[in-house]
Amino acid sequence: MSITISDTSPRVQYTATSGQTTFSVPFEFFDDDDLVVINTNAGGVDTTLTKSSNPSNASEYSVSGAGETGGGSITLGAGATLNDIYTIYRDLPIARSTDFPNSGTFPIETLNTELDKIVAMMQQNERDFNFTLKAKATTSTAYGLTFPELVANKILSVNSTGNGLIFSQEIGNFRGNWAASTAYVQRDLVKDTSNGNIYIVNTAHTSSGSQPISTNANASYYDLIVDATSATASASAALASATAAANSATAAASSASAAASSATDAQTAQTAAETAQAAAETAQTGAETAETNAGTSATAAASSATSAATQATNAATSASAAATSATNAATSATSASNSATTATTQASAASTSATNAATSASAASTSATNAATSESNASTYASNASTAQTAAEAARDAALAAADNFDDTYLGAKASDPTLDNDGDALNAGDLYFNTTSSVLKYYDGSTWNNIEATDTSGFETNGFAIAMAIAV
């Protein structure tokens, strides 16, 4: 067997398409048994597949391309499941299976195969090294670094001189609700039941006094890590401001409605005044017409009197005609008197109508003034409502900022280590989150997530928390 070993990693990984059966092996291998094939399903479960010359299902595979430069392929016995992960790597035994004779014909092909296998073994070692932690080639303090003896429940950290590793103190234990006369050590976690705040102990001591911890005589021995008080107060203030703004808006709407009603009433009064004025003008025209008719009647009476005088002068001609003419003149005078009386009555009625029109116009003016006042009040209420709304929005923004600050420190429950905070920003040292997969609380030290162990979580879970702290060693 004579092949060329290319500079290719002896490991390849694929994400399967639905029903896929063939997967390429881009590196050289000497025998079908040199390959290991692992399927990782959507649940993260690994299954090592079985090599078969006649595979019949997705857990079996056949191999082609052994001993060929450039590699070969594997073929499943049945189609793969969509998005399953298939990992294929070369696992050549680290051993020398042949030996050369002391004399006779030198087996060049066997030598080539042995040299190829040596290079293949070195590639496998390089692959395995890539899965381990390594120091930079330019480092000085990490060169020749050795791992210390393991110590239970301690953190691996750098020593005080910066040139070695040690197991230092534990991350901290959750001690539940704070209590007096309790011996606390550095990095213990406690809950202040008076306000819900969470503190970490920075100095070992025996507690005394009472809560809240912020006013306790030993307050300097604690560092606040979860400020529940500020978040609650900001939320309450925002709610109160929003309620006040809503009430102001309701009052403004009521005032605007009243103003609209007043304006409608004023418009109605003005219309009534205009109608009364038109009636007064009509009455006045009627009075003027009656007066004209009275004048006409008086003129007719005068003409009749003149005619009577003329007839009296001519009485000598006919006494009977004169008497008749005198009677007619008296009748015309009476009619003229009646017409004058009627004209006077109509003039008085016209004057009364004019007075009523003036009164209606005055009432309309008063209603219009009231409407203007109501409109001004409505504008004032609307301005007050706008001011209250602005205050409410400012309080809401402050509450949101406080909540966001809390949200950026305690990231909540997640299935795996986050790489960004809840806003999509970079993580900060001191960030916390609860890992729902391993049921532990973790903190971020600026580069990695670390487990936190709790010796007593009963009190914490009662108050809505579930923290478990541990370090895997």
Side-chain angles (χ1 to χ4, degrees), residues 4 56 81 111 122 200 220 239 277 328 343 377 396 403 442 466:
T4 299
S56 60
T81 300
L111 175 62
M122 294 174 65
I200 187 169
S220 61
L239 178 61
Q277 183 177 1
N328 291 338
N377 290 339
R396 178 202 62 200
K442 290 192 172 186

Side-chain angles (χ1 to χ4, degrees), residues 71-99:
S73 64
I74 67 156
T75 301
L76 302 179
T81 300
L82 178 65
N83 292 330
D84 273 8
I85 304 298
Y86 284 84
T87 303
I88 307 170
Y89 64 90
R90 185 177 62 218
D91 188 25
L92 189 67
I94 307 298
R96 182 179 176 185
S97 57
T98 61
D99 198 5

